[in-house]
Amino acid sequence: MKKILVMLLALAPIVGFSQYVQIATHYDAESTAHHIIHGHDKGYLDDSVRYVTEKKPERYIINEDVNYEFIKSRLDKVFAKGNLEYVSRTNGGYIFTIAVVDRKDETKVINYCTFHVNAWTQKITEIEILLGE
């Protein structure tokens, strides 16, 4: 009986505290996308980022745990191809996309840059560079 009472007393603070711990259900993806478009991306990247590139349709190159300089150089290279535009968000903003649109033909998308955000740390953990139409 004493064992059960001690276990209940030990669990009481956890139950009381858990009602105050929250995970945000939505992420402000649009403002983050605008910061990334303007080159302010260092504060939004996690320590270990997964970088995925689509070279040919359905053919991917995956780089695990890449550093900031590698990602910055790749994003700058992709972003230099055209005009940047925030396109969409899914999963409450934890996955959002920036499109690289051709400068001459505004209906042609060159690349889609998709960013995945971790709900706990609120930092980008994966970047996908996908081919456009």
Side-chain angles (χ1 to χ4, degrees), residues 64-83:
E64 298 282 343
D65 297 332
V66 294
N67 60 8
Y68 171 72
E69 288 79 22
F70 177 82
I71 291 189
K72 181 70 174 163
S73 68
R74 298 300 170 136
L75 284 178
D76 288 344
K77 184 178 175 182
V78 171
F79 288 173
K81 294 178 181 179
N83 297 329

Side-chain angles (χ1 to χ4, degrees), residues 42-52 62-71 116-118 121-127:
K42 188 169 187 169
Y44 296 102
L45 295 177
D46 200 7
D47 295 333
S48 62
V49 177
R50 183 174 188 236
Y51 183 80
V52 180
I62 300 171
N63 297 315
E64 298 282 343
D65 297 332
V66 294
N67 60 8
Y68 171 72
E69 288 79 22
F70 177 82
I71 291 189
H116 298 258
V117 179
N118 185 336
T121 61
Q122 302 285 311
K123 298 223 178 215
I124 296 170
T125 57
E126 182 176 341
I127 299 173

Side-chain angles (χ1 to χ4, degrees), residues 2 17 24 26 67 91 93 101 111 114 124:
K2 288 182 182 181
F17 178 71
H26 288 79
N67 60 8
N91 194 19
V101 181
N111 288 104
T114 304
I124 296 170

Side-chain angles (χ1 to χ4, degrees), residues 11-28:
L11 290 177
I14 294 172
V15 172
F17 178 71
S18 66
Q19 67 183 346
Y20 299 108
V21 176
Q22 295 180 357
I23 299 175
T25 57
H26 288 79
Y27 181 74
D28 189 14

